[in-house]
Amino acid sequence: MKRNLKSKHKTSIKFTLILASILMIGCGEKKTTPKVEKEPTLKEAFESNFLIGSAVNDNLVSKKDSLGEQIVLTEYNTITPENSMKWMYMEPEQGKFEFETADKYIDFSTKNDIAFIGHNLVWHSQLAGWVEKIESKEELSASLKNHVQTVAARYSGKIHGWDVVNEALNEDGTLRNSLFLKQLGPDYLINSFKWAQEADPKAELYYNDYNMTRQEKRAGAIKLVKDIQASGARIDGIGMQAHWGLKDPTLEEIETSILEYSDLGIQVMITEFDITVLPNPWDLEGAEVSQNFEGSEHMNPYTKELPDSVNTQLAQRYKDIFSLFKKHSDKISRVTFWGINDGVSWLNSWPIEDRTNYPLLFDREYNRKPAYYSVLEVAKDSAL
């Protein structure tokens, strides 16, 4: 009986040793799970090149657009308010400022470490009605100074930069005959930059306009920048509004403009970037918000969806343009898209109401479009 127990015990020990050997061999040959690389976001992909951001509306800061908020937090490191910091909203009555909404934008950007661009301090459009009724040169100058300095001082030290003056040029490069130019003369431009600098000395100061790739307007913008510099006022950059099409402007025109503005010793920024895929009524030029046109089927051809062929064309256009931006990333400090997704783009209502446009990198359901991935391809291409 004892012999049988001993025999069983030896068998048990032998089995245990064999099992342990098998386990040790298995551990030695354990295979590791391949590491899946995470696709970079836009801000990550272009981190070493320039800031990349979006214009946003009040739904973002009022927590009514959670999907839009997620895109902003994931993809962008700078934002610009689309409308809420324009004069008609900031100072609707003379001397009475409305800061509640603007404060929310500042709080959102500060909390999430996002560079905030104030848009804008001085613009002939979207003024409060009372401003246009001022007849006295002295009163208008005092009101302009008070507006610029009150708003800029409110957010001093909390803001990355200001579009100090917006769209002050005609297409031929001459100064727009706005209310400010008529009553105050060209000095209002220089004074606006000086007042902004006094109120917020740490913020960068920009001039922003559309059609800045056109030769005559570019020449006018260059003269304007030189005049501001010669006056002793500070100007840190120029914003090239990029409301562009599938073919216009040409890459050569864009590149020439980047180079010539950079030669002024200032930053170049691509602002208000979107690419319309819809017909341009009567060869409309520019982005003058007062222009509008009646709709037609010809002018609104993609009400259901964007054809694959046009989607491909849009993606290639974005890729070509971003390749140029990357080439000159030493001159470009920021690229800002004008809207989070196609559904909120202003191009659905301008220059013709109720159209269906597809100008951005995210579709109406907040999904990434082929254009999004074509832009990422540019960032990955080490040859560029």
Side-chain angles (χ1 to χ4, degrees), residues 107-140:
D107 291 343
F108 177 86
S109 64
T110 302
K111 176 183 176 182
N112 295 293
D113 193 25
I114 294 174
F116 187 81
I117 309 300
H119 178 78
N120 51 59
L121 291 172
V122 183
W123 190 28
H124 68 277
S125 188
Q126 290 186 255
L127 283 170
W130 63 267
V131 182
E132 298 174 347
K133 296 176 182 178
I134 296 177
E135 296 180 357
S136 162
K137 175 180 178 180
E138 290 74 20
E139 183 182 356
L140 182 60

Side-chain angles (χ1 to χ4, degrees), residues 51-66:
L51 292 174
I52 191 158
S54 175
V56 295
N57 59 37
D58 295 353
N59 287 336
L60 182 83
V61 294
S62 60
K63 300 296 182 180
K64 294 179 181 178
D65 185 8
S66 59

Side-chain angles (χ1 to χ4, degrees), residues 87 94 130-146 178-189 191 195:
W87 197 315
Q94 189 167 11
W130 63 267
V131 182
E132 298 174 347
K133 296 176 182 178
I134 296 177
E135 296 180 357
S136 162
K137 175 180 178 180
E138 290 74 20
E139 183 182 356
L140 182 60
S141 180
S143 295
L144 180 62
K145 180 180 181 179
N146 184 59
S178 66
L179 168 71
F180 301 115
L181 185 67
K182 289 177 183 176
Q183 295 202 40
L184 305 179
D187 284 349
Y188 89 88
L189 293 156
N191 287 333
W195 294 330

Side-chain angles (χ1 to χ4, degrees), residues 44-83:
E44 292 168 344
F46 292 96
E47 184 178 11
S48 62
N49 302 119
F50 36 68
L51 292 174
I52 191 158
S54 175
V56 295
N57 59 37
D58 295 353
N59 287 336
L60 182 83
V61 294
S62 60
K63 300 296 182 180
K64 294 179 181 178
D65 185 8
S66 59
L67 293 177
E69 180 179 358
Q70 187 57 45
I71 286 178
V72 168
L73 295 178
T74 302
E75 303 286 347
Y76 302 124
N77 48 25
T78 178
I79 58 171
T80 304
E82 191 170 8
N83 278 297

